Every structure is written in structure tokens, then in C-alpha cells.
Amino acid sequence: MQDQKIVLVRRAGYDWGSTVRGNTGEAYLTKITFLVIPEAAARIGALQSGQVDAIAYPSSNNISEVSSSSNVFTAASAGVVYTLYPNVTNPLLAQLPVRQAIQRSIDRQEIKKVTLDATGTAATSIVSHTFPSYTNLSSQLTDSSKAVTSILTKAGWAKGSDGIWAKDGTRLSVDLQYSSPNYEQLFELIQQQLKANGIELTLKQLTAAQVTANQASGNWGLTYGNLTRPDPDVFLSSFTATYSNFITKDVDPALVKLIDDQSAEADSAERSADSKKIQKLIVSDGLGFPIEEATSVIATKKTVHGVRFTAPWWAIFGAAWIEK
């Protein structure tokens, strides 16, 4: 029934599933009913009262409560993490030192501590740790006021009386446009972190239609998003002007060449090497400010076992079973 439920029935004789799901034979469960329950609190209530056996995406505010009485299965999405994308056609964000200063102004460990629950993971690269050819770039993603000062001073910026960097009469002030209120706490924390480093961030909550229209016209500074895909071609979709919704101008020819080369490379080892170089360039160029890994969360009754996930992050129930 549309907007109410979906019923899946086990297919008799289906015994050729991927080993990833933990069961290559027929599914253990004969039927699964997916109920549409939009509100997180209502989903949690349904689980705790025994009305349902499992829920997806329990509220992060209640994850500790849920964990004490439930099984919690999690998986990091293999792909580009949740990232602040800069508009490289914006006069300020077109400047490499500005992007590099923003990169080093974000304290991802504080973000983990303040805004993420026990299932959340701070970004340590532009891709998640489950991504093929992931390379740990956490040393380049640590906040450093000293690094910010050095970068901007060398580029001719100076702090004004209000504590904000300025150059040729222009203050270092950018905006972040978003539509979902779910990110307000996160964005306000990042705003504080940037301000502590002399960078002004203006938060603009708009409708989804307004955000889309502004992105199409180039009238934006930063925006937030991620892309799930466990393959290096995710860089083609996210960080080249030809395909990306956010990077509308190629600013680093070396990066574009690497992305194109890996897309055409047949040798897996060479492709992996290119992928690692791409990750480093995106971070060092400040073409993406990685914040947190996307995580899929399924909470179940204690009697439910065997929930697994695909590489992107979708739950698999072919090996799931209920303890009687």
C-alpha cells in the first residue's frame, strides 16, 4: 500500500545470493513487511513496544536508549562522506589559500564529540574508511589556528578589528545554504569553529527549491552533501565540472587528469593508486571539506540476528533470523 507498507515474500528456490549477505541459500525469513513510519520517535516507540522487530535510522538523540534494549547494526557508506562543497566560481572560494584555511579551521573531533552519536564517525578522508583504496588523511584534516594564520598571512590577508580576515577591503565571509533543519546544530558548530579562526560563515536556511535554484545560478558559497558509491568513479560524479552538481569549474588540471585516467584504467592496482592521489589532492586543494561518514543504522529486538549491509550501505535481510 502506497505510503503505508511494502510486503516482500521469500522467493522459493532462490539459492544463489551473494556471499556478502551471509547466506547463499533461501532467505531464512518467509516474509518481511516494511511499514512507513516517518517520525523517528514513533519508530523507536514501535520497536520498544514490540510492534515491529526492527527500525531504520533511530534518532541520534535516542541511540543510547535504544542500544540498551536492542541490537544495533551499523555500516559506513562506501563513498564520498558528508562534505561541505565550495563554490569555486565564488570570488573568495576560488582562491586556494581561502579553501585551505577553511579546511584547517574545522575541528572534526569536536564535531564527533558534540553532534554525533555512538554510531557516527568523523571523516578522515574525502571518502569513508570502507571505501576501496581509502587513504587516511586525518593529519591533513586536523584543525590548526597556526596553519590558518600562516596560510592567510602569506596570501596577503590581515585580521580586521572585528577579528575577521580581510584583504583589499574584502572580508573573508562566505555563506552556507541548506534546507534541512536536521543539520542546524552541526552547521552552528562549524560556524563557531570558523569564527574562532577569523572566518565568517553566514548560515542561510532556504527551501529545497531555493537551494537548487541558487546552485544553478551560481549564487551560493558552501553546500552540504554526500554520494554513496564504492568505486573511484564517484570522484568523476562529485569533483569534475562535467558531472558534478557542486564543482562547476575545474580548477586543478592535475586532479582532472587523475580522475579521467582512473576512469579509463583497467589495471586495478593502478586505479587504486590514482584513487589515493585523488583523495589527497581534493583535501589539499580544499575542493571538499569532509565532515562525517554517512552511516546506515538498523536497530532491532534482541531476538533479531544476522542483519548485514551492502558496500554502499543498504541493509540485507537474506541471512536475518529471529530467535524464538
Side-chain angles (χ1 to χ4, degrees), residues 10 24 26 32 34 40 58 80 128 139 160 168 196 200 213 289 296 308:
R10 180 174 65 189
T24 57
E26 289 186 349
I32 298 180
F34 291 89
V80 175
S128 64
S139 63
D168 300 329
E200 183 177 65
F289 309 123
S296 183
R308 298 196 176 208

Side-chain angles (χ1 to χ4, degrees), residues 216-240:
S217 66
N219 181 28
W220 59 285
L222 300 174
T223 194
Y224 198 57
N226 76 311
L227 184 58
T228 296
R229 189 178 303 160
D231 185 90
D233 256 9
V234 72
F235 301 124
L236 198 67
S237 303
S238 299
F239 295 101
T240 64

Side-chain angles (χ1 to χ4, degrees), residues 156-189:
W157 292 81
K159 278 194 176 180
S161 58
D162 59 357
I164 302 299
W165 293 94
K167 181 180 180 180
D168 300 329
T170 300
R171 298 169 74 249
L172 211 175
S173 177
V174 297
D175 69 76
L176 167 56
Q177 300 184 12
Y178 65 100
S179 59
S180 173
N182 296 336
Y183 299 121
E184 284 183 350
Q185 183 186 20
L186 168 64
F187 293 159
E188 287 172 356
L189 179 56

Side-chain angles (χ1 to χ4, degrees), residues 256-266 271 274:
V256 175
K257 185 178 186 305
L258 273 172
I259 293 176
D260 287 343
D261 286 350
Q262 70 77 27
S263 184
E265 179 58 62
R271 198 159 183 248
D274 284 345

Side-chain angles (χ1 to χ4, degrees), residues 1-7 33-36:
M1 300 176 65
Q2 185 174 358
D3 298 328
Q4 294 185 39
K5 67 180 181 180
I6 299 172
V7 179
T33 300
F34 291 89
L35 301 178
V36 179

Side-chain angles (χ1 to χ4, degrees), residues 21 62 243 265 270:
R21 70 175 186 162
N62 301 96
Y243 300 103
E265 179 58 62
E270 289 293 331

